[in-house]
């Protein structure tokens, strides 16, 4: 089969996506892709979802923080960003997504928006709910382990005045 001439080939844009979830959450690229497609289908409908043609090209999740590169058709960037904004759960785990930027190539997308942004989380013991508990520290945010899961907090919640 012959290739299409260059002027007929589809044009793509690449969205740099960062996401954060609880430290124990584990899901893969396939689950993220399924959640993205479901959100796009709910927001844009079947025809709009097919026009946007969202695909996860690169995915990395470690200790509750991750990065992804999502491909979208050039004329559908705004609709693709809107579909990403609708993703709030992946494999029944809550997740927060941020689109860091848009680029014309995968390489530029990774270099400009994703390289070296992830911090290695640290663990610390904190006094919370009248007990000493383990917490995962990511920047100014802490995820405190409890009997029924994690609770999000900040350093200000633990300072005494």
């Amino acid at each position: 089969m012959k290739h299409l001439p260059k002027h007929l080939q589809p044009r793509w844009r690449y969205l740099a996506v960062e996401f954060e979830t609880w430290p124990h959450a584990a899901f893969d690229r396939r689950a993220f892709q399924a959640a993205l497609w479901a959100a796009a289908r709910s927001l844009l409908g079947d025809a709009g979802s097919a026009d946007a043609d969202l695909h996860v090209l690169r995915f990395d999740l470690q200790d509750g923080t991750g990065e992804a590169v999502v491909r979208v058709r050039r004329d559908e960037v705004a609709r693709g960003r809107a579909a990403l904004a609708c993703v709030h759960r992946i494999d029944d785990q809550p997740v927060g997504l941020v689109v860091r930027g848009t680029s014309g190539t995968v390489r530029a997308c990774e270099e400009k928006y994703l390289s070296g942004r992830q911090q290695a989380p640290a663990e610390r013991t904190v006094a919370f709910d009248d007990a000493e508990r383990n917490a995962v520290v990511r920047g100014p945010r802490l995820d405190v382990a409890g009997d029924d899961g994690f609770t999000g907090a900040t350093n200000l919640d633990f300072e005494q005045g």
Side-chain angles (χ1 to χ4, degrees):
M1 191 155 92
K2 290 185 176 182
H3 292 284
L4 288 172
K6 188 168 184 160
H7 67 282
L8 293 177
Q9 291 177 3
R11 303 283 188 239
W12 303 105
R13 291 296 176 258
Y14 302 92
L15 304 176
V17 180
E18 283 189 21
F19 50 92
E20 187 173 345
T21 185
W22 296 123
H24 71 285
F27 50 85
D28 58 359
R29 189 187 76 76
R30 176 174 271 163
F32 181 57
Q33 180 72 66
L36 180 58
W37 280 343
R41 201 170 41 253
S42 294
L43 179 67
L44 307 172
D46 289 336
S49 175
D51 286 342
D53 198 13
L54 297 161
H55 284 281
V56 178
L57 299 180
R58 183 178 152 249
F59 176 86
D60 182 34
L61 173 66
Q62 295 175 4
D63 298 320
T65 59
E67 301 174 337
V69 175
V70 177
R71 184 186 77 181
V72 63
R73 289 196 186 268
R74 181 178 65 185
D75 298 336
E76 300 290 327
V77 171
R79 296 173 89 188
R81 290 176 68 109
L84 277 163
C86 293
V87 175
H88 61 91
R89 293 187 87 73
I90 300 173
D91 273 355
D92 209 26
Q93 298 289 328
V95 65
L97 298 173
V98 176
V99 177
R100 290 290 174 200
T102 305
S103 185
T105 65
V106 175
R107 183 176 178 179
C109 183
E110 291 174 344
E111 288 176 358
K112 280 173 114 175
Y113 303 112
L114 296 181
S115 58
R117 287 192 176 267
Q118 290 187 17
Q119 299 176 11
E123 290 198 25
R124 164 176 142 185
T125 303
V126 296
F128 186 78
D129 201 22
D130 297 329
E132 296 231 346
R133 300 188 185 267
N134 292 330
V136 177
V137 181
R138 292 185 274 195
R141 298 174 311 278
L142 291 94
D143 296 323
V144 182
D147 297 332
D148 56 345
F150 285 91
T151 302
T154 67
N155 286 328
L156 294 175
D157 294 325
F158 295 100
E159 290 182 8
Q160 296 180 3

